[in-house]
Amino acid sequence: MARNFLTHSPEETIELGRLLARELQPPVVVLLIGNLGAGKTTLAKGLVSGLGAAPEEEVTSPTFTLVHEYGPLGTAATRVYHVDLYRIETPGELITLGLEDMTAERAVVVVEWGEKLGSSFRNPWTGSRVLEIRMEAEGETERRIEIVSLESNSPADSPASQTGA
């Protein structure tokens, strides 16, 4: 079941990310899908800060490093991996990121440019869920955001799948 939102500022997009973070139970993969400027990194700021892994001002796009890690090991904060697939061009490059290792840690894995995983992507990680968030710029500051809970690879349903649009 999809849920739809319209945010009117970067601050509202960050706040939506904070609210969504309350629903995330690791291991979960969050696919952020949208064009350049759609607000993927802005929403990621809210997700990461809402999970208590880092303050929003420390969350930046991992376009050049490919992966940022937040939430020190050994703390109560949820471990978050923020992945950017913008520069990934081949399946071999994707494999070297170690997405399986990230979810094995019972982490939240936020993937910008999630569509690069391909339409055949299905949740391969036992016990983890996939949440797809499609984003679109509607103007200078407005963002249309659609949230879809994809199949779970565990018997438990995602909290996001239990809430209607």
Side-chain angles (χ1 to χ4, degrees):
M1 189 177 296
R3 293 185 289 163
N4 294 287
F5 300 89
L6 181 66
T7 61
H8 299 90
S9 68
E11 295 78 18
E12 282 186 20
T13 303
I14 290 169
E15 186 58 30
L16 177 60
R18 283 193 193 103
L19 293 173
L20 293 172
R22 294 180 190 163
E23 301 176 15
L24 300 178
Q25 295 296 318
V28 62
V29 178
V30 180
L31 303 176
L32 301 179
I33 297 171
N35 292 330
L36 274 173
K40 296 179 295 293
T41 301
T42 303
L43 187 68
K45 287 175 179 280
L47 290 169
V48 173
S49 66
L51 289 163
E56 70 183 63
E57 53 276 356
E58 290 182 15
V59 179
T60 59
S61 174
T63 300
F64 296 101
T65 58
L66 302 180
V67 179
H68 286 168
E69 299 177 34
Y70 301 102
L73 293 173
T75 69
T78 299
R79 187 87 169 144
V80 179
Y81 291 94
H82 183 191
V83 181
D84 191 322
L85 300 182
Y86 182 73
R87 296 189 176 279
I88 297 296
E89 296 181 9
T90 67
E93 291 175 329
L94 185 61
I95 290 170
T96 63
L97 290 177
L99 293 174
E100 297 87 358
D101 295 334
M102 294 175 200
T103 57
E105 262 188 59
R106 298 198 50 80
V108 173
V109 182
V110 178
V111 182
E112 292 193 33
W113 300 95
E115 63 271 28
K116 288 202 169 197
L117 289 174
S119 60
S120 62
F121 174 76
R122 291 293 175 260
N123 185 0
W125 305 297
T126 302
S128 64
R129 293 173 308 283
V130 177
L131 189 67
E132 182 176 287
I133 301 177
R134 298 179 198 127
M135 304 182 70
E136 184 179 339
E138 291 286 315
E140 184 73 24
T141 59
E142 288 187 338
R143 300 295 180 262
R144 185 165 307 284
I145 300 167
E146 179 185 34
I147 302 168
V148 180
S149 181
L150 301 179
E151 64 188 56
S152 173
N153 203 356
S154 77
D157 289 330
S158 157
S161 68
Q162 299 170 5
T163 306

